[in-house]
């Protein structure tokens, strides 16, 4: 039986999947060392099969087979296990449940819904606690899109349910089924009830999928559209493509989590899967408390309705941490296949890398760099390659995407470490966070000289936002670079050593940094900035540059010009509403700057 | 595993691994010891032992030491011996199985007591009464059961209250360097912290790992001799106590703290010191087990291990108590990128940094503001908690100070003559900020005093230079100093 089969099964466990009765068997523990066990007697086990260990039925995964011994990593604390304890092989890999009801739910790394666990077990998560991923008590009003006698293919829409007020969830023909619809039922159904019968297969809304295997698609599309994030430094300077991959490396306290959360809140996506991988419990709680209060920028509905949270805190078992990123991307792919645009945010992928290192160390594998296993690069690449803009399976054309943004926590803030280096090889965007910017409270603290994007999206922006977008963006990057090298000169020789035009460049660079790049995620008017407003802001800075240059050329002392108080009003653009008043705001602000710089100084204040 | 209440057990709690009612094992003695190395002992014929079991190791002279099983296979068990393996050989030792998993007795009776690193009395008084027994490793808190911490704690330090606000349920370590007054800072926070408008007293659970006798005396004085001493409990693992017990000390302390906070509804402040000593103990044990070393010889699982301590903080639904962690961490050679502060910073909700540079310039207490951070500050400040202008004011002070420090660096290269008038104002601000705002000496400031002082320091700047604070706050709080006021008058 394939793992995608949707026929009724007895296994409802998130880690159990559909058991293969031919391969189900019982072995015994021969060695326990932390979360790693050696088990004898599992002859039919395959790599990554799920097993259940001991009296508490702790879930684990086969990670090595050697002779008659299977090495198993357990997703729970192993205290109390001993040689001779029974181990049940389920004959299936780590498989999760997909279907309506994922949105708005908080799962742990093995897809146990945390609210249900809490209702049953209180404030702590006991070992061996079990809950199915999807709520069996809830019904969904299934509206068929096919009729008896229709011929359907894998990926075709069988029907829909309204998962949230804003999202119509397509129930698709599972990837391994095709043929004639023999039976279809409308009306309220639970996820594990049969809604259709196709070529002899009963189909439920609930489908299962092994998390380590990418879901199949018809084909990949070139990446030519951006995923708008509402963050000026990202969209304006280093945009990410819809279906692309980006990484955010940064030492602690540089604002990775705040940036990931800002993207989760403001990105132009249908579905956001947020994986807190080995992170702080209190921060996840903040997301849990905040997201239901915030509105989705596209639909106005509570943000939580488009969000799936995977919460694996740093003190949860290591093996579940490794599983959590795969859980997240599999759920994102599931919505992608429905023709939706999903974003996967993983905070932080380094914890996942460290989980690999920890288990590898316990297996006694030969370490590569910094103790990480040699297959780290392969694993990271395979994960990031699951991002993409795709044509879904099915006879009607449908495009969906998964965009992946991974935070990286390099040890000591040093980007030369293996997780950062291996991730940047496969990710198209490199958004380098900078501790010195963070310390000066310049947020988002993305370093504009180290960061880059390899996606060519200028054309899209020129066509859809403003024809001078690419030019403005290139001008901003160039000015910031010039300012950087000029600042080095200033730090050696003093500001007087710099010629007048360069002093103007210095001032423009500062404006770009302080007034344009900085963005306050806690200010409602500034938290998200649509592209039109970004253009207006850049045009204003450019107008100020022209006015300063003109003033200097007309003979005003450059020191007066660059210190003119009117230049401080430019920061006010961050508070402009992004509506039809933008043009008027821009014209007025630019006129004010021009007027102030062309008239002679009149007050002591201006001369100071 | 569910924590087991055991009111009917007459055996008194004798500390962490001393007596426990859960899963008592049949008394079997294993004498076939094959290897003794460092704190580890390998015993053959141990097929009834499980991972994590607690055992007693008996030597022929009758002395008994506790141990815990680190690894089992079909016949052998690797046991780590608490109290060290001195005097143990292959022939004179027996291992006696005791019970499954290390547990500790918990209860309010421990308040006012001084215990050792494993939870046994160190003050010559009888064992405290245990109300229940709990596994020392704890269980992960369900994130949905947590309440996001948002109750402001006033520590009396401007650098913390004003700029890196601490809230109830937060874990905020103090990163220090050798020779700096971190212990004094921690003691002051513990004794003078309060929540404005509340009279609830704070219970301090203090765990010292690998401290010297002199430091231990200091802490004993601070936490048990004072008027609030009856509400505090000290666990002391001294520098010459067994290394292996050092790994147990924070776990026993946090198990006690969780019980007091989440079941007894108390506001608990846990102070762990010194995290670096703990990590060195971890490294020592890992090396004895011949594990693959990671960065600087620390084991690869150190992040997970530290997280299993630091994550035991917070507030939960169903309890009015809270567990706040304030740990001290000595950065080896003052290096913040060293693995111990680095991994800690990735787990904790910010850090308060003390620096030798500040101490050298006579700033007391020597808080280094720029690398300090409180991640939970936003929830704890603002209307109804501190004051509406707090967030913006803190950002503004940070931005001005960062610029001032940058200018100071410039001065060291080009001299003060190369500066613009604007640069000079930032330079002067940075100096006053350090001397007056940070260097508050012995004074305890209320949050209002702290914020007002911040505004006073910003008096040297024009309103339109204060881009981080809202106009309404500038109108209300900003009082330009004489020079700027003159400039403003001449303008009108």
């Amino acid at each position: 039986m394939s793992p995608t089969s949707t026929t009724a099964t007895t296994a409802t466990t998130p880690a159990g999947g559909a058991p293969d009765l031919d391969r189900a068997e019982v072995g015994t523990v021969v060695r326990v060392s932390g979360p790693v066990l050696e088990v004898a007697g599992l002859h039919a086990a395959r790599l990554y099969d799920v097993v259940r260990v001991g009296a508490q039925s702790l879930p684990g995964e086969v990670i090595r087979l050697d002779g008659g011994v299977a090495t198993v990593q357990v997703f729970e604390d192993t205290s109390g296990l001993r040689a001779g304890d029974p181990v049940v092989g389920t004959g299936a890999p780590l498989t999760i449940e997909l279907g309506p009801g994922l949105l708005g739910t908080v799962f742990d790394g093995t897809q146990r819904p945390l609210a249900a666990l809490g209702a049953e077990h209180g404030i702590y998560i006991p070992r061996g606690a079990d809950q199915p991923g999807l709520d069996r008590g809830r019904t969904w009003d299934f509206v068929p899109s096919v009729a008896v006698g229709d011929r359907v293919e894998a990926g075709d829409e069988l029907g829909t349910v309204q998962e949230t007020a804003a999202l119509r969830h397509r129930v698709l023909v599972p990837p391994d089924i095709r043929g004639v619809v023999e039976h279809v039922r409308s009306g309220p159904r639970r996820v594990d009830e049969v809604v259709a019968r196709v070529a002899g297969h009963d189909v439920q809304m609930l489908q299962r999928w092994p998390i380590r295997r990418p879901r199949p698609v018809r084909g990949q599309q070139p990446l030519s559209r951006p995923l708008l994030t509402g963050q000026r430094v990202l969209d304006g300077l280093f945009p990410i493509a819809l279906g692309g991959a980006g990484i955010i490396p940064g030492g602690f306290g540089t604002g990775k989590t705040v940036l990931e959360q800002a993207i989760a809140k403001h990105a132009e996506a249908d579905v956001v899967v947020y994986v807190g991988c080995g992170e702080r419990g209190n921060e996840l709680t903040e997301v849990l408390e905040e997201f239901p209060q915030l509105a989705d920028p596209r639909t106005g509905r509570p943000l939580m309705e488009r969000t799936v949270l995977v919460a694996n805190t740093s003190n949860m078992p290591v093996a579940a941490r490794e599983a959590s990123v795969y859980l997240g991307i599999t759920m994102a792919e599931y919505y992608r296949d429905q023709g939706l645009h999903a974003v996967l945010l993983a905070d932080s992928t380094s914890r996942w890398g460290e989980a690999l290192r920890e288990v590898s160390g316990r297996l006694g594998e030969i370490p590569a760099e910094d103790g990480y296993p040699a297959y780290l690069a392969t694993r990271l690449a395979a994960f990031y390659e699951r991002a993409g803009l795709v044509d879904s399976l099915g006879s009607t054309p449908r495009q969906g995407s998964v965009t992946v943004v991974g935070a990286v926590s390099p040890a000591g803030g040093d980007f030369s470490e293996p997780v950062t280096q291996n991730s940047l090889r496969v990710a198209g965007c490199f958004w380098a966070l900078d501790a010195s910017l963070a310390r000066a409270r310049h947020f988002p603290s993305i370093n504009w000289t180290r960061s880059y994007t390899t996606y060519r999206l200028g054309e899209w922006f020129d066509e859809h936002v403003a024809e001078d977008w690419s030019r403005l963006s290139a001008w901003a990057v160039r000015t910031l670079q010039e300012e950087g090298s000029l600042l080095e000169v200033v730090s050696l020789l003093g500001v007087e050593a710099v010629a007048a035009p360069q002093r103007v460049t210095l001032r423009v660079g500062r404006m770009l940094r302080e007034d344009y790049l900085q963005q306050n995620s806690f200010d409602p008017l500034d938290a998200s900035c649509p592209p039109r407003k970004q253009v207006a802001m850049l045009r204003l800075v450019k107008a100020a540059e022209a006015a300063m240059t003109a003033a200097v050329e007309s003979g005003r002392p450059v020191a007066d010009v660059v210190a003119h108080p009117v230049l401080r009003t430019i920061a006010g653009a961050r508070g402009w509403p992004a509506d039809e008043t933008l043009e008027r705001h821009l014209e007025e602000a630019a006129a004010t700057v021009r007027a102030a710089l062309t008239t002679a100084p009149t007050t002591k204040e201006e001369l100071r | 595993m569910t924590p087991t209440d055991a009111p009917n057990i007459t055996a008194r709690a004798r500390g962490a691994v001393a007596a426990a009612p859960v899963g008592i094992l049949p008394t079997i003695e294993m004498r076939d010891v094959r290897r003794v190395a460092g704190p580890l002992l390998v015993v053959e014929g141990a097929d009834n032992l499980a991972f994590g079991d607690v055992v007693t190791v008996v030597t022929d002279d009758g002395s008994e030491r506790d141990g815990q099983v680190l690894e089992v296979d079909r016949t052998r068990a690797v046991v780590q011996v608490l109290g060290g393996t001195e005097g143990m050989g292959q022939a004179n030792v027996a291992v006696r199985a005791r019970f499954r998993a290390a547990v500790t007795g918990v209860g309010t009776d421990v308040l006012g007591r001084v215990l050792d690193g494993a939870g046994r009395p160190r003050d010559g008084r009888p064992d405290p009464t245990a109300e229940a027994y709990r596994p020392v490793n704890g269980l992960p808190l369900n994130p949905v059961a947590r309440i996001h911490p948002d109750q402001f704690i006033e520590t009396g330090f401007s650098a913390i209250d004003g700029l890196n606000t601490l809230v109830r349920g937060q874990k905020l370590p103090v990163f220090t360097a050798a020779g700096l007054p971190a212990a004094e800072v921690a003691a002051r926070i513990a004794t003078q912290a309060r929540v404005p408008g509340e009279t609830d007293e704070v219970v301090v659970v203090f765990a010292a790992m690998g401290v010297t006798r002199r430091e231990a005396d200091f802490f004993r004085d601070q936490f048990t001799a004072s008027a609030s001493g009856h509400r505090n409990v000290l666990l002391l693992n001294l520098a010459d106590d067994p290394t292996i017990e050092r790994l147990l000390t924070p776990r026993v302390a946090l198990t006690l703290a969780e019980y007091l906070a989440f079941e007894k509804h108390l506001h608990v402040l846990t102070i762990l010191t010194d995290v670096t000593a703990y990590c060195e103990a971890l490294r020592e044990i890992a090396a004895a087990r011949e594990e693959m070393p990671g960065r600087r010889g620390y084991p690869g699982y150190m992040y997970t291990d530290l997280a299993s301590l630091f994550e035991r903080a917070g507030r939960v639904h169903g309890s009015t108590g809270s567990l706040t962690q304030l740990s001290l961490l000595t950065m080896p050679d003052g290096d913040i990128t060293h693995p111990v502060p680095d991994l800690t910073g990735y787990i904790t909700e910010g850090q308060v940094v003390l620096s030798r540079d500040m101490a050298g310039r006579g700033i007391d207490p020597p808080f280094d503001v720029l690398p300090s951070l409180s991640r939970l500050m936003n929830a704890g400040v603002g209307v109804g908690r501190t004051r509406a202008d707090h967030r913006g004011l803190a950002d503004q002070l940070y931005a001005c100070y960062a610029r001032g420090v940058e200018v100071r660096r410039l001065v060291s290269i080009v001299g003060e003559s190369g500066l613009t008038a604007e640069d000079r104002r930032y330079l002067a601000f940075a100096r006053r900020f350090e001397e007056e705002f940070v260097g508050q000496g012995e004074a305890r400031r209320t949050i209002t005093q702290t914020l007002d002082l911040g505004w006073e320091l910003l008096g040297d700047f024009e309103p339109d230079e204060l881009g981080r604070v809202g106009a309404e706050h500038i109108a209300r709080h900003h009082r330009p100093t004489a020079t700027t006021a003159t400039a403003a008058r001449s303008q009108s």
Side-chain angles (χ1 to χ4, degrees):
Chain A
M1 194 191 314
S2 106
T4 62
S5 169
T6 54
T7 46
T9 72
T10 49
T12 55
T13 60
D20 181 341
L21 294 176
D22 296 337
R23 288 201 287 126
E25 56 185 345
V26 181
T28 46
V29 173
V30 293
R31 182 162 172 263
V32 187
S33 172
V36 175
L37 312 181
E38 284 177 8
V39 180
L42 293 179
H43 304 292
R46 298 182 202 160
L47 215 52
Y48 294 116
D49 272 3
V50 168
V51 298
R52 291 282 177 167
V53 183
Q56 286 174 306
S57 191
L58 307 178
E61 235 180 0
V62 176
I63 51 173
R64 178 193 277 173
L65 291 162
D66 186 2
V69 176
T71 304
V72 166
Q73 64 172 343
V74 180
F75 293 119
E76 304 261 13
D77 180 19
T78 50
S79 292
L81 290 183
R82 59 197 193 117
D85 278 345
V87 179
V88 179
T90 63
L94 184 54
T95 302
I96 58 160
E97 299 188 347
L98 299 167
L102 293 174
L103 293 178
T105 310
V106 189
F107 297 105
D108 81 345
T110 53
Q111 214 200 15
R112 293 182 297 184
L114 288 174
L117 278 188
E120 194 171 328
H121 301 285
I123 61 171
Y124 297 107
I125 302 176
R127 292 196 299 166
D130 209 352
Q131 283 286 338
L134 291 175
D135 187 352
R136 298 295 193 274
R138 199 164 162 191
T139 58
W140 304 91
D141 202 4
F142 181 76
V143 182
S145 323
V146 292
V148 173
D150 286 358
R151 175 164 285 278
V152 292
E153 273 185 39
D156 278 350
E157 180 182 308
L158 279 176
T160 58
V161 296
Q162 201 68 38
E163 183 170 3
T164 67
L167 193 135
R168 211 164 49 94
H169 185 116
R170 291 190 166 101
V171 178
L172 305 177
V173 179
D176 55 350
I177 295 178
R178 62 190 308 175
V180 175
V181 178
E182 295 161 3
H183 178 71
V184 63
R185 301 168 69 184
S186 65
R189 292 278 174 271
R190 297 194 316 268
V191 287
D192 55 351
E193 286 183 282
V194 173
V195 291
R197 191 171 172 80
V198 177
H201 297 277
D202 282 336
V203 179
Q204 312 165 347
M205 285 187 259
L206 184 159
Q207 306 188 2
R208 294 196 167 83
W209 192 262
I211 57 173
R212 293 179 200 277
R213 190 189 307 165
R215 285 175 62 86
V217 296
R218 179 180 298 280
Q220 298 276 344
Q221 286 286 320
L223 307 180
S224 55
R225 273 189 284 162
L227 171 81
L228 296 176
T229 63
Q231 307 301 302
R232 282 189 290 272
V233 60
L234 304 188
D235 295 349
L237 301 190
F238 314 109
I240 186 168
L242 197 67
I247 61 167
I248 310 176
F252 63 82
T254 50
K256 287 184 297 296
T257 301
V258 176
L259 186 59
E260 289 261 11
Q261 289 184 8
I263 297 173
K265 289 175 196 167
H266 305 297
E268 297 257 334
D270 300 306
V271 170
V272 173
V273 181
Y274 188 98
V275 182
C277 175
E279 287 294 302
R280 304 173 182 88
N282 278 335
E283 276 178 0
L284 288 165
T285 307
E286 186 179 11
V287 174
L288 294 181
E289 289 181 3
E290 194 183 3
F291 276 30
Q293 313 294 325
L294 295 171
D296 179 345
R298 309 222 298 178
T299 61
R301 302 284 309 166
L303 198 58
M304 202 59 201
E305 289 188 3
R306 74 164 192 185
T307 310
V308 188
L309 287 174
V310 179
N312 175 273
T313 58
S314 56
N315 59 339
M316 290 182 182
V318 170
R321 189 181 307 163
E322 207 246 326
S324 65
V325 289
Y326 292 106
L327 165 65
I329 199 149
T330 306
M331 293 193 290
E333 284 178 344
Y334 174 69
Y335 283 100
R336 171 202 70 190
D337 292 344
Q338 298 175 34
L340 298 167
H341 296 294
V343 177
L344 176 87
L345 299 162
D347 183 16
S348 144
T349 58
S350 291
R351 305 292 159 240
W352 165 40
E354 283 159 12
L356 285 179
R357 176 168 68 182
E358 200 172 319
V359 173
S360 166
R362 289 193 196 274
L363 292 178
E365 292 173 339
I366 293 171
E369 215 179 337
D370 279 5
Y372 286 99
Y375 48 79
L376 175 74
T378 321
R379 293 281 174 90
L380 285 169
F383 169 72
Y384 281 104
E385 283 298 286
R386 287 174 77 167
L389 177 67
V390 307
D391 292 318
S392 308
L393 294 181
S395 42
T396 10
R398 205 164 48 217
Q399 259 188 20
S401 69
V402 174
T403 310
V404 176
V405 177
V408 184
S409 316
D414 173 10
F415 292 174
S416 66
E417 60 90 41
V419 178
T420 314
Q421 287 303 315
N422 289 313
S423 303
L424 75 83
R425 252 173 244 154
V426 284
C429 283
F430 182 73
W431 296 323
L433 298 182
D434 185 323
S436 62
L437 290 176
R439 285 175 188 183
R441 295 302 186 261
H442 173 117
F443 286 117
S445 63
I446 291 179
N447 182 310
W448 46 88
T449 49
R450 296 185 78 174
S451 303
Y452 61 81
T453 177
T454 56
Y455 300 112
R456 300 280 165 260
L457 302 166
E459 233 170 78
W460 186 92
F461 281 106
D462 290 349
E463 191 178 320
H464 292 89
V465 183
E467 56 182 21
D468 54 346
W469 177 283
S470 302
R471 263 175 294 145
L472 281 170
S473 172
W475 165 78
V477 172
R478 201 175 51 242
T479 309
L480 285 164
Q481 267 169 4
E482 275 177 37
E483 190 218 8
S485 21
L486 286 170
L487 281 174
E488 281 173 28
V489 176
V490 171
S491 68
L492 290 174
L493 302 170
V495 73
E496 303 299 333
V498 179
Q502 276 72 43
R503 286 193 67 179
V504 171
T505 306
L506 276 172
R507 188 66 185 87
V508 176
R510 198 174 125 200
M511 264 185 248
L512 285 172
R513 283 188 287 116
E514 293 181 358
D515 306 335
Y516 175 74
L517 291 182
Q518 285 187 31
Q519 194 166 352
N520 185 348
S521 4
F522 305 104
D523 176 347
L525 278 174
D526 196 29
S528 176
C529 186
R532 281 185 57 224
K533 181 171 159 188
Q534 297 198 29
V535 171
M537 291 175 73
L538 279 179
R539 283 181 181 156
L540 176 61
V541 178
K542 201 140 194 263
E545 182 189 40
M548 280 192 278
T549 309
V552 170
E553 280 169 0
S554 73
R556 278 188 78 173
V558 70
D560 292 357
V561 172
V562 297
H564 200 288
V566 77
L567 297 176
R568 297 183 198 138
T569 63
I570 285 172
R574 286 155 64 172
W576 291 350
D579 53 21
E580 66 287 348
T581 62
L582 261 182
E583 291 298 317
R584 186 168 54 77
H585 273 116
L586 171 61
E587 276 166 30
E588 284 174 10
T592 311
V593 172
R594 264 194 300 271
L597 287 174
T598 42
T599 54
T602 53
T603 64
K604 259 174 110 176
E605 148 66 11
E606 285 189 28
L607 283 173
R608 193 169 60 83
Chain B
M1 183 183 340
T2 46
T4 312
D5 287 19
N8 57 341
I9 296 288
T10 47
R12 291 166 305 166
R14 280 184 35 230
V17 291
V22 282
I24 295 172
L25 300 173
T27 311
I28 298 173
E29 267 196 13
M30 292 150 276
R31 300 200 69 96
D32 192 0
V33 172
R34 292 293 173 88
R35 184 161 174 250
V36 184
L40 304 183
L41 198 144
V42 177
V43 61
E44 193 75 27
D47 47 345
N48 70 327
L49 286 180
F51 177 70
D53 278 359
V54 173
V55 298
T56 305
V57 183
V58 193
T59 40
D60 281 352
D61 60 10
S63 72
E64 295 188 1
R65 275 170 262 195
D66 294 325
Q68 190 165 15
V69 176
L70 283 184
E71 191 176 311
V72 289
D73 61 21
R74 263 184 280 224
T75 57
R76 295 192 314 166
V78 179
V79 173
Q80 70 179 20
V81 183
L82 295 105
T85 46
E86 224 173 69
M88 293 187 176
Q90 281 171 256
N92 70 339
V93 174
V95 176
R96 203 178 290 154
R98 298 274 301 291
F99 46 85
R100 210 119 277 178
V103 295
T104 187
V106 293
T108 46
D109 198 34
V110 297
L111 298 179
R113 300 295 304 273
V114 180
L115 310 172
D116 76 358
R120 294 168 293 231
R122 197 169 196 133
D123 49 10
R125 290 162 57 194
D127 294 339
T129 314
E131 292 162 23
Y133 293 88
R134 296 282 184 266
V136 297
N137 284 333
L139 288 167
L141 273 174
N142 188 331
V144 302
R146 287 178 181 268
I147 304 172
H148 192 245
D150 60 356
Q151 293 169 310
F152 165 64
I153 298 179
E154 188 183 88
T155 65
F157 288 111
S158 292
I160 296 177
D161 297 348
L163 301 172
N164 297 291
T165 314
L166 176 69
V167 295
R168 267 184 185 159
Q170 183 171 12
K171 38 189 184 290
L172 189 71
V174 178
F175 287 6
T176 179
L180 296 177
E184 288 78 2
V185 168
R188 273 176 72 184
I189 293 175
T191 47
Q192 67 190 23
R194 62 182 186 86
V195 172
E198 279 188 24
T199 51
D200 291 356
E201 283 181 71
V202 173
V203 170
V204 177
V205 176
F206 184 91
M209 304 168 280
V211 298
T212 61
R213 211 160 292 282
R214 202 163 63 88
E215 288 169 310
D217 289 343
F218 170 80
F219 291 126
R220 205 190 298 252
D221 279 354
Q222 291 291 324
F223 293 111
T224 56
S226 64
S228 60
H230 65 285
R231 303 186 58 86
N232 301 335
V233 53
L234 255 74
L235 289 97
L236 296 177
N237 168 275
L238 300 186
D240 54 356
D241 282 343
T243 317
I244 200 105
E245 270 184 25
R246 212 157 288 159
L247 302 185
L248 206 55
T249 308
R251 293 186 164 81
V252 174
L254 288 164
T255 306
L256 276 172
E258 278 181 340
Y259 177 77
L260 296 172
F262 303 145
E263 295 182 52
K264 292 290 155 187
H265 308 282
L266 297 168
H267 290 295
V268 182
L269 175 67
T270 305
I271 301 179
L272 307 177
T273 182
D274 183 315
V275 177
T276 307
Y278 172 83
C279 289
E280 272 155 17
L282 200 63
R283 178 167 64 178
E284 191 180 323
I285 305 299
R289 293 172 65 180
E290 297 179 354
E291 291 174 341
M292 193 74 70
R295 214 156 39 116
R296 297 218 190 175
Y298 292 97
Y301 50 79
M302 192 159 83
Y303 178 85
T304 308
D305 190 275
L306 285 173
S308 73
L309 303 181
F310 292 134
E311 272 295 315
R312 295 171 81 173
R315 290 168 62 213
V316 296
H317 291 289
S319 166
T320 54
S322 63
L323 204 175
T324 310
Q325 272 192 40
L326 188 85
S327 304
L328 301 189
L329 185 160
T330 305
M331 298 178 283
D333 201 27
D335 176 12
I336 200 168
T337 65
H338 183 278
V340 175
D342 191 47
L343 293 181
T344 301
Y346 277 123
I347 305 165
T348 55
E349 283 134 359
Q351 65 280 335
V352 171
V353 182
L354 303 184
S355 93
R356 195 180 310 285
D357 179 47
M358 297 293 269
R361 277 188 282 124
I363 311 296
D364 169 46
F367 289 113
D368 194 351
V369 170
L370 291 183
S372 299
L373 172 74
S374 164
R375 293 168 188 273
L376 299 182
M377 173 171 181
N378 284 331
V381 302
V383 183
R385 303 214 163 76
T386 55
R387 224 164 66 180
D389 56 317
H390 191 159
R391 177 77 253 181
L393 176 64
D395 286 346
Q396 190 64 59
L397 290 169
Y398 252 107
C400 291
Y401 178 56
R403 177 118 186 248
V405 169
E406 188 61 43
V407 173
R408 186 185 290 158
R409 217 178 344 252
L410 206 63
V411 169
S412 66
I413 303 168
V414 297
E416 250 186 85
S417 57
L419 300 181
T420 63
E422 190 175 307
D423 285 344
R424 284 207 187 91
R425 275 183 300 134
Y426 282 99
L427 190 62
F429 169 81
R431 196 176 51 239
R432 281 191 70 196
F433 175 81
E434 287 175 358
E435 287 170 1
E436 297 172 36
F437 193 85
V438 178
Q440 65 191 84
E442 293 302 308
R444 183 192 189 287
R445 290 196 191 127
T446 64
I447 182 64
T448 312
Q449 288 170 328
T450 291
L451 296 177
D452 289 348
L453 177 61
W455 279 107
E456 191 194 318
L457 295 176
L458 289 178
D460 286 347
F461 298 102
E462 293 298 326
D464 58 8
E465 287 174 300
L466 306 178
R468 308 295 181 101
V469 268
E472 69 278 18
H473 301 312
I474 292 184
R476 176 126 187 240
H477 300 287
H478 187 236
R479 300 279 171 275
T481 46
T483 45
T484 47
T486 320
R489 259 198 307 282
S490 67
Q491 194 173 19
S492 55

